[in-house]
PDB file of all heavy atoms in Angstrom:
ATOM      1  N   ARG H  21       9.271  45.585 -57.225  1.00 91.00           N
ATOM      2  CA  ARG H  21       9.989  44.547 -57.983  1.00 91.00           C
ATOM      3  C   ARG H  21       9.837  43.187 -57.319  1.00 91.00           C
ATOM      4  O   ARG H  21       9.621  42.177 -57.986  1.00 91.00           O
ATOM      5  CB  ARG H  21      11.477  44.875 -58.080  1.00 91.00           C
ATOM      6  CG  ARG H  21      11.820  45.945 -59.048  1.00 91.00           C
ATOM      7  CD  ARG H  21      13.330  46.247 -58.952  1.00 91.00           C
ATOM      8  NE  ARG H  21      13.624  47.503 -59.572  1.00 91.00           N
ATOM      9  CZ  ARG H  21      13.796  47.640 -60.877  1.00 91.00           C
ATOM     10  NH1 ARG H  21      13.741  46.599 -61.653  1.00 91.00           N
ATOM     11  NH2 ARG H  21      14.036  48.826 -61.380  1.00 91.00           N
ATOM     12  N   ASP H  48      12.323  48.514 -65.068  1.00 84.00           N
ATOM     13  CA  ASP H  48      13.680  48.459 -65.604  1.00 84.00           C
ATOM     14  C   ASP H  48      13.954  49.633 -66.533  1.00 84.00           C
ATOM     15  O   ASP H  48      15.054  50.183 -66.551  1.00 84.00           O
ATOM     16  CB  ASP H  48      13.917  47.148 -66.348  1.00 84.00           C
ATOM     17  CG  ASP H  48      14.084  45.972 -65.408  1.00 84.00           C
ATOM     18  OD1 ASP H  48      14.360  46.203 -64.215  1.00 84.00           O
ATOM     19  OD2 ASP H  48      13.933  44.824 -65.869  1.00 84.00           O
ATOM     20  N   THR H  51      14.643  52.813 -64.431  1.00 74.00           N
ATOM     21  CA  THR H  51      15.945  52.867 -63.766  1.00 74.00           C
ATOM     22  C   THR H  51      16.953  51.988 -64.502  1.00 74.00           C
ATOM     23  O   THR H  51      17.294  50.898 -64.039  1.00 74.00           O
ATOM     24  CB  THR H  51      15.820  52.397 -62.302  1.00 74.00           C
ATOM     25  OG1 THR H  51      15.195  51.114 -62.286  1.00 74.00           O
ATOM     26  CG2 THR H  51      15.040  53.359 -61.453  1.00 74.00           C
ATOM     27  N   PRO H  52      17.423  52.455 -65.668  1.00 66.00           N
ATOM     28  CA  PRO H  52      18.321  51.627 -66.469  1.00 66.00           C
ATOM     29  C   PRO H  52      19.664  51.352 -65.790  1.00 66.00           C
ATOM     30  O   PRO H  52      20.341  50.400 -66.136  1.00 66.00           O
ATOM     31  CB  PRO H  52      18.509  52.432 -67.754  1.00 66.00           C
ATOM     32  CG  PRO H  52      18.195  53.829 -67.375  1.00 66.00           C
ATOM     33  CD  PRO H  52      17.174  53.743 -66.266  1.00 66.00           C
ATOM     34  N   GLY H  53      20.075  52.133 -64.808  1.00 67.00           N
ATOM     35  CA  GLY H  53      21.340  51.923 -64.125  1.00 67.00           C
ATOM     36  C   GLY H  53      21.361  50.652 -63.300  1.00 67.00           C
ATOM     37  O   GLY H  53      22.406  50.193 -62.870  1.00 67.00           O
ATOM     38  N   ARG H  54      20.203  50.046 -63.084  1.00 62.00           N
ATOM     39  CA  ARG H  54      20.140  48.813 -62.304  1.00 62.00           C
ATOM     40  C   ARG H  54      20.642  47.619 -63.096  1.00 62.00           C
ATOM     41  O   ARG H  54      20.984  46.596 -62.538  1.00 62.00           O
ATOM     42  CB  ARG H  54      18.715  48.536 -61.845  1.00 62.00           C
ATOM     43  CG  ARG H  54      18.214  49.507 -60.817  1.00 62.00           C
ATOM     44  CD  ARG H  54      16.868  49.082 -60.290  1.00 62.00           C
ATOM     45  NE  ARG H  54      16.804  47.679 -59.946  1.00 62.00           N
ATOM     46  CZ  ARG H  54      17.181  47.162 -58.766  1.00 62.00           C
ATOM     47  NH1 ARG H  54      17.673  47.952 -57.847  1.00 62.00           N
ATOM     48  NH2 ARG H  54      17.064  45.877 -58.525  1.00 62.00           N
ATOM     49  N   LEU H  55      20.649  47.731 -64.413  1.00 56.00           N
ATOM     50  CA  LEU H  55      21.098  46.617 -65.236  1.00 56.00           C
ATOM     51  C   LEU H  55      22.616  46.540 -65.189  1.00 56.00           C
ATOM     52  O   LEU H  55      23.305  47.556 -65.097  1.00 56.00           O
ATOM     53  CB  LEU H  55      20.629  46.798 -66.680  1.00 56.00           C
ATOM     54  CG  LEU H  55      19.112  46.863 -66.865  1.00 56.00           C
ATOM     55  CD1 LEU H  55      18.777  47.161 -68.320  1.00 56.00           C
ATOM     56  CD2 LEU H  55      18.469  45.571 -66.429  1.00 56.00           C
ATOM     57  N   PRO H  56      23.185  45.340 -65.277  1.00 59.00           N
ATOM     58  CA  PRO H  56      24.638  45.218 -65.239  1.00 59.00           C
ATOM     59  C   PRO H  56      25.279  45.891 -66.452  1.00 59.00           C
ATOM     60  O   PRO H  56      24.721  45.883 -67.551  1.00 59.00           O
ATOM     61  CB  PRO H  56      24.890  43.719 -65.247  1.00 59.00           C
ATOM     62  CG  PRO H  56      23.616  43.095 -65.674  1.00 59.00           C
ATOM     63  CD  PRO H  56      22.516  44.080 -65.404  1.00 59.00           C
ATOM     64  N   ALA H  57      26.449  46.464 -66.224  1.00 55.00           N
ATOM     65  CA  ALA H  57      27.166  47.107 -67.318  1.00 55.00           C
ATOM     66  C   ALA H  57      27.663  46.041 -68.282  1.00 55.00           C
ATOM     67  O   ALA H  57      27.973  44.924 -67.889  1.00 55.00           O
ATOM     68  CB  ALA H  57      28.353  47.896 -66.763  1.00 55.00           C
ATOM     69  N   PRO H  58      27.726  46.384 -69.573  1.00 57.00           N
ATOM     70  CA  PRO H  58      28.237  45.409 -70.545  1.00 57.00           C
ATOM     71  C   PRO H  58      29.693  45.088 -70.236  1.00 57.00           C
ATOM     72  O   PRO H  58      30.459  45.954 -69.801  1.00 57.00           O
ATOM     73  CB  PRO H  58      28.104  46.108 -71.885  1.00 57.00           C
ATOM     74  CG  PRO H  58      27.671  47.501 -71.615  1.00 57.00           C
ATOM     75  CD  PRO H  58      27.326  47.622 -70.181  1.00 57.00           C
ATOM     76  N   SER H  59      30.067  43.850 -70.442  1.00 61.00           N
ATOM     77  CA  SER H  59      31.446  43.456 -70.173  1.00 61.00           C
ATOM     78  C   SER H  59      32.375  44.030 -71.246  1.00 61.00           C
ATOM     79  O   SER H  59      31.995  44.183 -72.402  1.00 61.00           O
ATOM     80  CB  SER H  59      31.578  41.944 -70.117  1.00 61.00           C
ATOM     81  OG  SER H  59      31.202  41.391 -71.357  1.00 61.00           O
ATOM     82  N   VAL H  60      33.577  44.342 -70.850  1.00 59.00           N
ATOM     83  CA  VAL H  60      34.564  44.916 -71.757  1.00 59.00           C
ATOM     84  C   VAL H  60      35.719  43.929 -71.878  1.00 59.00           C
ATOM     85  O   VAL H  60      36.249  43.461 -70.872  1.00 59.00           O
ATOM     86  CB  VAL H  60      35.082  46.282 -71.229  1.00 59.00           C
ATOM     87  CG1 VAL H  60      36.148  46.837 -72.136  1.00 59.00           C
ATOM     88  CG2 VAL H  60      33.946  47.248 -71.062  1.00 59.00           C
ATOM     89  N   SER H  66      33.325  46.437 -76.279  1.00 49.00           N
ATOM     90  CA  SER H  66      32.220  45.708 -75.638  1.00 49.00           C
ATOM     91  C   SER H  66      32.008  44.388 -76.321  1.00 49.00           C
ATOM     92  O   SER H  66      32.185  44.210 -77.448  1.00 49.00           O
ATOM     93  CB  SER H  66      30.926  46.494 -75.722  1.00 49.00           C
ATOM     94  OG  SER H  66      31.103  47.732 -75.102  1.00 49.00           O
TER      95      SER H  66
END
Side-chain angles (χ1 to χ4, degrees):
R21 284 175 196 277
D48 286 342
T51 53
R54 291 187 46 85
L55 299 175
S59 61
V60 177
S66 301

